Amino acid sequence: MITSFLDNINNNSTAVSLNRLNTENKEKNEQYFTPLSVASFMSSMFKPQDKSAIRFLDAGAGLGNLTASFISTVCKWENKPQKIRAVLYEIDSTLIPGLNKNMELAKEFCENNNIELEVTIINQDYIDSCINDINSEDSKNLFDYILLNPPYKKMGTNQRHKQSLMKIGIDVPNFYAAFVALSYRLLNKKAQLVCIIPRSFCNGQYFKAFRKDLTTKVKMEKLHVFDSRKNIFKDDVLQETLIMYLSRNKQNANDRIEVTQSVKDEFSEIITIQKSFEEVVFPNDPENLIRIIKDEDTTIVERMHNLNCVLKDLNISVSTGPIVDFREHPSLLSHEGNIWSLPIIYPENFVAGFVKWPIFGKKPGFILESESNINKLREPGIYVLVKRMSSKEERKRVVAAIYNSEKTSQRKVAFNNNLNYFHVNFSSLDNLNLARGLSLYLNSSLVDNYFRTFSGSTQVNVGDLKSLKYPSLKQLEFLGTQYDEKLPSQERIDHIIDNILFFS
Ligand SMILES: C[S@@+](CC[C@H](N)C(=O)[O-])C[C@H]1O[C@@H](n2cnc3c(N)ncnc32)[C@H](O)[C@@H]1O
């Protein structure tokens, strides 16, 4: 009976979705509906509560896939409640008829299971309404269960939503974080929230305030990650997705967190790892990074933490390339240089661990100095560069190369914005062995695997590079003596790192 209820929901939702392919509303409101297999997995995380009536929230409900799966899960509980009060927010009025239809099926299904289902569909902006509810401090607005697959879009600094959220102490860069932060404020005692969101909040400056809020206001009990780069929503979002189970409790350092990972097609094979909270969010980590460290990665984390230095100790800094090529006046950029031209460097210039310039491709390789860009150009010398974005196909996320003006041009250089560059006071590292050692270290599997414990995206931010531990200057210089003109193979790099840094 449960299968046929969810089958009917699936048929309705699929029919509506197919009719709406490429509609303006689909794009605007980011309507990627949760497949019912995923929704059911999410609902199965909830623990039953001994209550005769429960209040449930689905914010950004779409066609109600999450609500339907929640209801079908509750109907399987041994101790079922007599009543479910479900509140569903959906901003897009064109989805409301489909949502109503699915909720009629849900009511019928509940009736057959001796549960009364009361559904309130609110065709309004969830953020605005929720802020009002939080401000009213009325406990009638609280929920026992919240299930979310929120919209993902960015929130501009001047946007109305951003400003009203800041007024109630919520500082978030986008809608999904806003939906989650607002919703956990509406949790009743013992209440639980499950959400499916991109993993991007686990690291990065933009989400720092959100991570702090999350880790101090609610208790993280379970995390589920999908096999990396697998796309469960069949869209083009280049982002790992995560399911998170939160409860309205205080978090302690030694609380257990169950981390699960789908190995194959969604949920047919799952690996479970037990972690303590302090293994997920390290104590004294000012960034509050949320790390998913699989058992096979424990040695990696231990090794990284055994290294002695942070970047500051090396007197080295890392910044994002200051030139944005498409914002430069077109007359300043060219494919062919003249005697005044300077190199402009892109990830495309990386060849076997060194910058090759000029190369002749789609990007203009030459830039002219002008009043508008003079402060963004860097002195000639030696720099270590790291790509800011690896492509989906690339095996590694952290890819480094050395820029050496001796091999390119003795004039100033422009690092494009899709690169990060290591420097000393915005100038050359002035030490080729140090640069070679730093680049070798950054290109190691140790760094790449460590990076993956806290980042689920293909982007490498300056903050991520600052959060790594580094070998000492002496060790880096010695690493730099291990190769000359060409970065060694991955196997060789890892062997050198093992031998020199860990004596193994
Ligand atoms: C990613 S979809 C997920 C839909 C549904 N929760 C599911 O899992 O199938 C997000 C939904 O949020 C809705 N939405 C977007 N912005 C909203 C807002 N400010 N208030 C309420 N709903 C919103 C969209 O129209 C869309 O249906």
Side-chain angles (χ1 to χ4, degrees), residues 4 15 35 45 50 77 97 102 144 171 175 179 186 245 253 265 287 305 335 353 407 490:
S4 74
M45 288 174 144
D50 196 14
W77 287 351
N102 278 342
D144 303 302
D171 178 5
F175 274 59
F179 270 54
L186 294 182
Y245 169 101
D265 50 41
E287 297 294 317
H305 290 184
H335 286 265
K407 305 272 174 188
Q490 192 62 53

Side-chain angles (χ1 to χ4, degrees), residues 188-346:
N188 217 337
K189 276 194 206 113
K190 291 194 187 159
Q192 306 153 51
L193 180 154
V194 175
C195 57
I196 183 162
I197 50 179
R199 223 184 119 184
S200 52
F201 71 97
C202 294
N203 65 315
Q205 277 301 306
Y206 293 127
F207 289 99
K208 192 171 166 178
F210 173 60
R211 284 194 299 274
K212 179 100 193 135
D213 190 68
L214 172 80
T215 49
T216 45
K217 290 228 161 28
V218 270
K219 181 173 172 187
M220 199 186 289
E221 296 204 34
K222 294 180 194 174
L223 293 172
H224 181 85
V225 285
F226 294 86
D227 195 9
S228 67
R229 304 209 180 192
K230 188 154 177 230
N231 210 336
I232 49 168
F233 290 106
K234 301 187 172 50
D235 54 22
D236 50 9
V237 182
L238 247 187
Q239 188 45 265
E240 278 181 26
T241 306
L242 174 145
I243 295 174
M244 182 161 61
Y245 169 101
L246 305 170
S247 68
R248 172 81 193 270
N249 285 309
K250 204 176 150 8
Q251 186 98 59
N252 295 311
N254 49 5
D255 285 337
R256 303 308 297 163
I257 299 186
E258 187 180 286
V259 182
T260 50
Q261 186 193 4
S262 303
V263 181
K264 278 202 281 196
D265 50 41
E266 283 162 14
F267 306 105
S268 66
E269 201 182 325
I270 288 179
I271 300 176
T272 306
I273 322 159
Q274 295 290 343
K275 293 275 162 201
S276 63
F277 176 68
E278 62 186 350
E279 288 170 321
V280 174
V281 179
F282 295 161
N284 310 324
D285 174 4
E287 297 294 317
N288 277 79
L289 298 183
I290 296 172
R291 302 167 197 255
I292 299 174
I293 304 168
K294 296 167 198 150
D295 282 350
E296 69 265 28
D297 294 340
T298 321
T299 331
I300 289 160
V301 174
E302 277 167 11
R303 285 191 155 189
M304 174 67 74
H305 290 184
N306 276 336
L307 296 175
N308 285 332
C309 300
V310 290
L311 265 189
K312 254 205 229 143
D313 303 324
L314 304 172
N315 196 25
I316 295 176
S317 310
V318 59
S319 312
T320 302
I323 294 279
V324 182
D325 56 351
F326 58 82
R327 296 218 183 101
E328 290 296 311
H329 195 276
S331 65
L332 297 176
L333 293 163
S334 70
H335 286 265
E336 282 156 42
N338 58 37
I339 50 162
W340 298 285
S341 303
L342 315 175
I344 172 162
I345 306 299
Y346 300 92

Side-chain angles (χ1 to χ4, degrees), residues 351-405:
V351 178
F354 287 85
V355 164
K356 186 166 179 246
W357 181 89
I359 52 167
F360 296 95
K362 273 194 211 145
K363 301 272 187 198
F366 301 85
I367 187 165
L368 291 173
E369 181 172 325
S370 79
E371 243 173 63
S372 63
N373 65 24
I374 188 160
N375 292 329
K376 298 178 195 157
L377 301 171
R378 295 295 166 254
E379 292 303 320
I382 297 165
Y383 298 86
V384 173
L385 314 181
V386 170
K387 292 186 186 180
R388 276 187 73 195
M389 184 82 87
S390 59
S391 68
K392 215 179 167 190
E393 293 70 35
E394 228 160 356
R395 212 169 54 82
K396 304 260 324 288
R397 303 228 179 139
V398 184
V399 182
I402 294 170
Y403 178 82
N404 183 356
S405 49

Side-chain angles (χ1 to χ4, degrees), residues 13 105 131 148 163 219 235 312 321 328 361 413 423 448 479:
S13 299
L105 289 175
I131 290 175
L148 301 173
Q163 287 167 358
K219 181 173 172 187
D235 54 22
K312 254 205 229 143
E328 290 296 311
V413 54
H423 54 87
D448 207 66
L479 287 174

